[in-house]
Amino acid sequence: MGMMTSLFGKTGDGQEAKIVTIMNKNGMGIEVTNYGATLVSATVPDEKGHIEDVILGYEDVTDYVANGGFFGAVIGRNGNRIGKAKVTINGVEYQMEQNENENSLHSGTRGFDKAIWDMELLEDEATVKFTHHSPDGDEGLPGNFDVSVSYTLTDENEIKIHYTGVSDADTIANMTNHSYFNLAGHDKGTILDHTLWMDADAFTVIDAESIPTGELRNVEGTPMDFRKTRRIGDDIDDTYEQIQLAHGYDHNFVLNQNGEEKLRRIAKVTDPASKRTMEVYTDCAGVQFYTGNFIEKTQIGKGGIPYQKRSGLCLETQFFPDAPNHENFPSSILKAGEVYDTTTVYKFGFECK
């Protein structure tokens, strides 16, 4: 194990960003920055020990500020979309920023992904812990909300992300990580040949603005069925209405609970070329599967690589989108004084050829 901290550049208002590198005994490493508590890279070996960076991202903090796209960032207070950017908590309506048509996406243009977080290194645990204070009224939401996000790299090639938070008033708490993964390498083209298995019998149906209608639809007989491992690109341009509305996959899947809410394996991605695998474990109710349908070649990533449409995939563990506005969805309201506490693990490996 080893940890190192260095300068990652300055934001437009002169704040210094730091980047932390963590290495394990297998030659795997991750880089995280206190700008947006962002996961910048994950260098992962394949069966032959060949290492590739499997996360899309930028060279320094100025690129993250300029280009956006939420690459690798922690999203909060609310990940995903809120219809009309309005929520009602305890009978009071709160107006969030409308940054995607009339809706709120990822809490607006000044969410947790734009903050410089406080940082603590826990070297004995191969962990970096980020903390952030979100004041009452931040993002249009009530309560002073104090949050932490910890990244741990284990010798089992796991990236463990642990989120906690406490508010002094009832508020929304629905944080997630928005990393784009390409198991062949961030600079190796699209993820269309990757395969996916996901433990989800249903998904949340969306309207033309990608806001849930409230319907939970069974995946049986649709292009949304990943209960058996299959190629992601097979149905990504299908005529199925939900695929057409999202221009590919950009949907929340209702994860099977199996009678338990604890950490459980919910997905596995495989790159058939490198044989790298990524398993996802979480205690969350849902996961947003997004296939980078709106990545543009103007987004120049690490190494000067112009990222293209579908060059990365996201598996964002979360409460369901627009949850506060649907009584039949698990609630994302955090009661005052209660602890928000959730964990997601991305575990990397490879299949023998």
Side-chain angles (χ1 to χ4, degrees):
M1 291 287 187
M3 298 182 72
M4 180 180 70
T5 304
S6 55
L7 187 64
F8 198 50
K10 293 184 178 182
T11 63
D13 58 3
Q15 295 185 83
E16 282 192 351
K18 300 292 181 63
I19 189 166
V20 179
T21 303
I22 309 176
M23 299 293 298
N24 73 9
K25 68 179 184 181
N26 306 315
M28 179 178 168
I30 63 172
E31 291 181 313
V32 288
T33 175
N34 61 338
Y35 179 76
T38 297
L39 183 57
V40 174
S41 72
T43 47
V44 181
D46 64 11
E47 179 191 16
K48 297 181 179 179
H50 181 68
I51 292 175
E52 291 282 357
D53 182 359
V54 301
I55 291 182
L56 277 61
Y58 300 115
E59 293 283 359
D60 58 37
V61 73
T62 57
D63 290 328
Y64 281 94
V65 172
N67 293 302
F70 304 103
F71 283 14
V74 166
I75 308 299
R77 299 182 185 188
N78 182 75
N80 219 307
R81 295 175 172 89
I82 297 289
K84 306 300 181 185
K86 292 181 180 180
V87 297
T88 299
I89 303 173
N90 298 329
V92 179
E93 184 177 87
Y94 295 91
Q95 180 68 59
M96 301 177 69
E97 181 185 355
Q98 295 174 314
N99 65 319
E100 188 184 63
N101 300 318
E102 295 183 344
N103 308 307
S104 170
L105 174 65
H106 298 325
S107 299
T109 56
R110 296 294 298 177
F112 289 0
D113 56 296
K114 303 296 192 301
I116 294 286
W117 293 55
D118 293 328
M119 184 174 74
E120 179 184 4
L121 302 186
L122 305 172
E123 296 194 34
D124 291 345
E125 303 171 25
T127 296
V128 57
K129 181 178 181 180
F130 297 108
T131 55
H132 177 63
H133 173 72
S134 177
D136 181 43
D138 190 23
E139 303 169 3
L141 296 171
N144 291 290
F145 189 32
D146 290 293
V147 300
S148 75
V149 178
S150 296
Y151 289 90
T152 302
L153 177 62
T154 75
D155 281 335
E156 286 69 46
N157 287 1
E158 299 167 320
I159 303 173
K160 292 185 176 181
I161 310 177
H162 181 211
Y163 309 82
T164 65
V166 177
S167 174
D168 62 4
D170 293 1
T171 192
I172 295 177
N174 185 24
M175 292 190 287
T176 191
N177 179 275
H178 205 293
S179 288
Y180 289 78
F181 298 96
N182 185 324
L183 297 185
H186 79 100
D187 54 353
K188 295 297 191 294
T190 75
I191 45 78
L192 296 178
D193 286 335
H194 284 37
T195 62
L196 173 66
W197 166 83
M198 189 156 41
D199 190 18
D201 292 338
F203 70 99
T204 50
V205 174
I206 59 171
D207 64 16
E209 294 188 337
S210 293
I211 303 299
T213 64
E215 178 188 351
L216 306 181
R217 184 177 297 175
N218 196 292
V219 299
E220 182 76 33
T222 78
M224 318 301 283
D225 192 350
F226 287 95
R227 294 173 298 177
K228 292 183 178 179
T229 300
R230 64 189 184 91
R231 182 176 175 271
I232 289 171
D234 283 349
D235 296 314
I236 202 167
D237 293 314
D238 195 85
T239 56
Y240 185 61
E241 179 196 27
Q242 288 294 297
I243 294 289
Q244 291 296 305
L245 287 174
H247 303 278
Y249 294 103
D250 189 8
H251 297 80
N252 171 70
F253 284 76
V254 180
L255 296 174
N256 296 330
Q257 296 288 332
N258 301 319
E260 300 177 347
E261 295 183 357
K262 65 181 182 180
L263 202 66
R264 64 206 186 281
R265 181 174 177 264
I266 60 97
K268 181 180 180 180
V269 181
T270 303
D271 169 42
S274 69
K275 301 298 183 182
R276 285 189 189 88
T277 62
M278 181 180 76
E279 296 173 288
V280 184
Y281 297 78
T282 193
D283 51 19
C284 292
V287 62
Q288 187 82 7
F289 173 44
Y290 175 51
T291 47
N293 310 317
F294 298 102
I295 297 176
E296 300 177 356
K297 288 186 177 180
T298 53
Q299 292 173 288
I300 306 300
K302 291 172 283 189
I305 299 298
Y307 293 141
Q308 59 182 294
K309 181 179 180 180
R310 296 172 179 160
S311 57
L313 65 90
C314 302
L315 288 166
E316 305 159 63
T317 56
Q318 58 178 13
F319 283 107
F320 301 171
D322 202 31
N325 296 318
H326 298 276
E327 291 185 359
N328 61 321
F329 288 4
S331 177
S332 60
I333 301 298
L334 178 69
K335 296 293 185 181
E338 292 186 357
V339 178
Y340 174 83
D341 190 326
T342 182
T343 300
T344 292
V345 177
Y346 298 98
K347 182 176 182 177
F348 296 88
F350 49 80
E351 295 182 343
C352 295
K353 295 182 180 179

